[in-house]
């Protein structure tokens, strides 16, 4: 009900406006995390910013009011005019500062990301293990943890493992650097494929948010890390294929089951889960074969002369080199 | 303090009333403020050599703190970024001249090392702040930068070893040196960083630091000079 004056605080029972503007608190309502509006970052930022501004404005108004009454009485007429000029300049400065800090705080406020990093080590460990265990319940939406610490650390671990693989195989990168390529590949995959699958999910009306997709795919990279760590050091192709199917397959199944539980309809399910499985499994294949060409000279220098002959499998050598050795058979004698 | 000492002689006159037509006005200046202003002016006037020496001494003191990492707050209280910059440039210069064939990229370029160290430090700092750490941004950068010192020393040692001993013995020596300095760096930085974290989340902060120094150690270990 509106009272006579426009002042918000005159209602004896506390007006609605009061609660709306000062309704935000330091505790962030996790219920809002699961909505599919996709604009939670900006919403939270705006709310936070409006709260701060209200406080600032009331604090400034109180401060300038006190100053004005004190100085005006004391200095007399001349004091009042000087006071007015000073007040105007002050207010212009404050307004400008508020504009700049509002823009800065909205986008550079790391407090927006704080709730996504609120995890315990035990939780991270259990989520890592769970990412390899597919859950068979697909009639009811499965719970997907919305955190970013685990996925981010897994992407960085993948970068480190990729670097290790590239270095030991003497990969030639023609444009760009080793580090740049590794970071670009891993982050590009995580962010790009998450966005693409989220876009497809949006098209087929699946119940998943961007944060959950990022988290799901990030934890799915745990399988990739394990497989690559093993196969960059033990160079058996057969072992790689077995691990690719087993571990890659398990982590893909986990992601697929989570998505299936949140999608309705046969064709959308097929589209979404087929795309994800294809991309995820192909990425592992790509990482193994593109960044780990076995170069004989480098292996010699790192692992010493006593190498198992099986390591130098003829089918790893590209056809070009084979032709070269046939043309110059004396090269074979040197090795 | 001066006002208190002045008021004691008048303590006995506290019951004396002052007539209303005498205006009481004036300024009360706090003497402490003015002396600080004098200090700032004096550092501006001092010779450049003194300023540089003072900064160098501060950097040197922090190096000693990294060498013997015990729980002291000296590294955190007066943070500076001169030391990290010096170490970063030294490490990047030492990593130059890697095996540079016409096709192979060879060792990391100067800019690559620079970017890895600074962006890695920034990301670890952001991560520790997001996990609820009480350390400030630049304090964390300072600690991470100073703790690269063991790895820089290891790089210098590796280059010397590569000049002399080659083959698997040389590789074993380099591996040992780099592993020890990697452990030292990680231990030194966690001694400073984990104090500011909530106790049950120390592992979450240590892991990215471990990864960061692992990548740098890997760059140091796989460095091979051009023939």
């Amino acid at each position: 009900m509106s009272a006579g004056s426009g002042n918000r605080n005159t209602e004896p029972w506390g007006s609605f406006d009061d609660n709306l503007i000062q309704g935000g608190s330091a505790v962030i309502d996790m219920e809002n995390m699961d909505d599919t509006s996709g604009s939670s970052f900006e919403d939270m930022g705006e709310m936070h910013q409006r709260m701060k501004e209200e406080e600032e404005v009331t604090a400034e108004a109180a401060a300038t009011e006190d100053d004005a009454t004190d100085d005006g009485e004391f200095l007399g007429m001349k004091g009042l005019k000087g006071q007015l000029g000073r007040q105007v300049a002050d207010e212009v400065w404050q307004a400008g500062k508020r504009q700049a800090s509002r823009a800065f705080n909205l986008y550079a406020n790391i407090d927006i990301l704080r709730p996504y990093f609120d995890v315990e080590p035990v939780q991270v460990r259990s989520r890592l293990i769970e990412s390899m265990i597919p859950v068979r319940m697909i009639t009811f939406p499965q719970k997907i943890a919305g955190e970013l610490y685990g996925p981010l650390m897994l992407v960085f671990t993948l970068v480190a493992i990729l670097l290790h693989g590239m270095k030991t195989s003497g990969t030639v990168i023609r444009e760009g650097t080793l580090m740049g390529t590794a970071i670009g590949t891993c982050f590009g995959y995580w962010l790009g494929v998450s966005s693409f699958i989220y876009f497809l999910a949006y098209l087929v009306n699946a119940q998943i948010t961007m944060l959950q997709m990022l988290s799901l795919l990030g934890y799915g990279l745990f399988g990739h890390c394990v497989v690559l760590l093993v196969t960059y050091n033990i160079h058996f192709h057969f072992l790689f294929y077995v691990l690719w199917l087993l571990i890659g397959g398990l982590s893909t199944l986990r992601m697929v089951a989570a998505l299936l539980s949140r999608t309705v309809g046969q064709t959308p399910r097929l589209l979404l889960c087929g795309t994800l499985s294809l991309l995820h499994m192909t990425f592992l294949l790509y990482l193994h074969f593109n960044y780990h060409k076995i170069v004989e000279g480098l292996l010699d220098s790192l692992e010493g002369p006593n190498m198992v002959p099986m390591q130098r499998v003829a089918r790893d050598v590209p056809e070009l080199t084979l032709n070269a050795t046939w043309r110059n058979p004396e090269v074979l004698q040197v090795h | 303090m001066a006002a208190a000492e002045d008021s004691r002689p008048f303590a006995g006159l506290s019951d004396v009333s002052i007539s209303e037509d005498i205006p009481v006005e004036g300024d009360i200046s706090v003497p402490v403020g003015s002396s600080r202003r004098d200090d700032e002016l004096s550092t501006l006037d001092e010779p450049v050599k003194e300023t540089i020496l003072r900064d160098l001494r501060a950097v040197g003191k922090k190096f000693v703190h990294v060498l013997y990492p015990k729980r002291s707050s000296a590294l955190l209280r007066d943070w500076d970024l001169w030391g990290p910059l010096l170490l970063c440039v030294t490490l990047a210069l030492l990593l130059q001249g890697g095996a540079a064939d016409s096709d192979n990229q060879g060792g990391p370029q100067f800019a690559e090392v620079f970017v890895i160290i600074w962006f890695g430090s920034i990301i670890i700092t952001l991560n520790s702040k997001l996990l609820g750490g009480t350390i400030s941004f630049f304090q964390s950068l300072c600690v991470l930068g100073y703790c690269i010192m063991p790895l820089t020393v290891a790089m210098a040692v590796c280059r010397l070893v590569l000049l002399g001993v080659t083959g698997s013995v040389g590789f074993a020596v380099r591996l040992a040196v780099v592993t020890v300095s990697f452990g030292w760096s990680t231990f030194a930085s966690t001694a400073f960083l984990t104090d500011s974290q909530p106790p049950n989340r120390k592992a979450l902060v240590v892991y990215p630091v471990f990864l960061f120094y692992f990548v740098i150690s890997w760059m140091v270990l796989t460095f091979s000079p051009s023939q």
Side-chain angles (χ1 to χ4, degrees), chain B residues 52-72:
Chain B
I52 292 181
L53 278 181
R54 190 181 53 235
D55 281 338
L56 280 179
R57 248 178 272 130
V59 169
K61 211 170 6 144
K62 293 201 190 78
F63 278 152
V64 172
H65 273 288
V66 173
L67 281 179
Y68 302 106
K70 43 187 190 297
R71 274 154 205 265
S72 79

Side-chain angles (χ1 to χ4, degrees), chain B residues 8-69:
Chain B
R8 252 185 273 125
F10 300 107
L13 302 171
S14 58
D15 51 346
V16 173
S17 61
I18 304 170
S19 64
E20 288 169 58
D21 46 357
I22 301 174
V24 180
E25 54 176 296
D27 298 294
I28 299 179
S29 62
V30 182
V32 179
S34 55
S35 69
R36 195 189 301 164
R37 235 178 292 128
D38 285 342
D39 275 343
E40 284 173 10
L41 284 174
S42 66
T43 61
L44 202 59
D45 284 341
E46 72 179 3
V48 175
K49 186 182 80 163
E50 250 183 68
T51 316
I52 292 181
L53 278 181
R54 190 181 53 235
D55 281 338
L56 280 179
R57 248 178 272 130
V59 169
K61 211 170 6 144
K62 293 201 190 78
F63 278 152
V64 172
H65 273 288
V66 173
L67 281 179
Y68 302 106

Side-chain angles (χ1 to χ4, degrees), chain A residues 220-234:
Chain A
L221 287 176
F222 177 58
H224 284 21
C225 287
V226 168
V227 173
L228 288 175
L229 191 63
V230 170
T231 57
Y232 277 165
N233 294 310
I234 306 174

Side-chain angles (χ1 to χ4, degrees), chain A residues 88-100:
Chain A
V88 167
D90 219 6
E91 270 184 43
V92 168
W93 167 250
Q94 292 294 338
K97 197 170 85 159
R98 227 179 304 135
Q99 291 273 21

Side-chain angles (χ1 to χ4, degrees), chain A residues 117-157:
Chain A
F117 281 76
D118 190 16
V119 287
E120 305 291 319
V122 193
Q123 281 179 315
V124 176
R125 197 175 356 126
S126 63
R127 281 175 194 164
L128 282 176
I129 298 174
E130 277 167 12
S131 74
M132 305 294 291
I133 305 174
V135 177
R136 297 177 80 204
M137 175 189 66
I138 57 174
T139 47
F140 195 74
Q142 289 180 18
K143 186 176 182 319
I144 303 177
E147 64 146 309
L148 286 180
Y149 174 83
L152 202 65
M153 288 305 127
L154 278 170
V155 173
F156 280 123
T157 311

